[in-house]
Amino acid sequence: MGTVDVDQAILTRRSVRRYRPDPVPRGVIEEVLSLAQWAPSGVNRQPWRFVVLGSEMMPRLAAECEKSLAPLEPYLKEHFPDRDDIIERVRAFFKTLGGAPVAILAYCQGKPANDSDVHSVAAAIQTLLLAAQARGLGSCWMGGPRFREAEISALVGMEDATLVAVIPIGYPDESPKPAPRQPNRVTYVGF
């Protein structure tokens, strides 16, 4: 599949939570990760590390993600007090990762020296999400699984790194509608 321009990728990217079972070719994942590593980083440290999990590992990762949900329950109930349907959808997604055939774990090498290292990994994640979108792939940036960082890192043999996100990836089996943008988020000073 061809790529789309960057504006189109930005405007059409959504958090996908249901995936088709179709395998994603390794070459496409390699392209996405190659582009992700061109993200800006503080002092050009490039502190990111990525671990790619294929279909054999997805059930084990999903089991850990499901266990990470318990600490998020109070947050979900606070922000969605009358929306049990949303909370149930979140639970279902954490339990199955939407049937995604691939997940990418984004790590920061070592213990972050400062916020700049984590921000750098976040920039690489955003670049990864846009590169995936441009190739017709859906993805979802998940921070909640960090509650099971030790277990997830042990599962994949990652040492001396800090988990920043779990990112399921695959061909979307849904077309999420865009959430409205919040108004009044830009202030001009001396312009």
Side-chain angles (χ1 to χ4, degrees):
M1 168 168 273
T3 60
V4 295
D5 71 39
V6 69
D7 290 1
Q8 194 64 21
I10 291 168
L11 293 171
T12 60
R13 191 215 58 79
R14 304 284 179 268
S15 292
V16 172
R17 293 180 179 87
R18 281 196 343 249
Y19 301 88
R20 298 191 325 244
D22 311 10
V24 179
R26 182 175 174 149
V28 174
I29 297 296
E30 289 171 352
E31 288 176 10
V32 166
L33 287 170
S34 177
L35 290 167
Q37 294 178 74
W38 282 95
S41 65
V43 198
N44 199 28
R45 287 174 42 88
Q46 302 175 35
W48 42 73
R49 295 273 310 272
F50 298 102
V51 177
V52 183
L53 301 182
S55 58
E56 289 180 19
M57 293 295 292
M58 293 302 288
R60 294 172 67 190
L61 177 63
E64 292 302 333
C65 289
E66 182 179 17
K67 291 174 189 170
S68 75
L69 190 56
L72 292 176
E73 293 274 346
Y75 173 85
L76 292 171
K77 289 178 181 174
E78 177 185 340
H79 286 82
F80 303 106
D82 300 319
R83 296 296 311 269
D84 289 341
D85 60 318
I86 290 175
I87 295 170
E88 270 312 307
R89 284 196 306 260
V90 170
R91 283 186 188 126
F93 179 62
F94 272 61
K95 184 176 184 176
T96 66
L97 299 176
V102 174
I104 297 174
L105 310 182
Y107 283 90
C108 183
Q109 181 65 45
K111 296 296 173 204
N114 52 48
D115 287 347
S116 179
D117 282 350
V118 175
H119 296 167
S120 297
V121 176
I125 293 169
Q126 176 67 1
T127 303
L128 182 158
L129 299 177
L130 294 174
Q133 175 66 24
R135 284 156 180 76
L137 296 170
S139 59
C140 185
W141 181 332
M142 298 176 70
R146 290 178 300 136
F147 285 110
R148 298 290 289 181
E149 177 180 1
E151 295 81 2
I152 291 171
S153 294
L155 177 68
V156 301
M158 179 59 78
E159 297 178 3
D160 193 34
T162 302
L163 181 64
V164 177
V166 170
I167 308 154
I169 290 188
Y171 295 102
D173 196 22
E174 66 176 355
S175 297
K177 290 186 173 24
R181 301 295 94 185
Q182 297 293 324
N184 305 315
R185 299 296 173 153
V186 177
T187 301
Y188 293 91
V189 178
F191 188 83

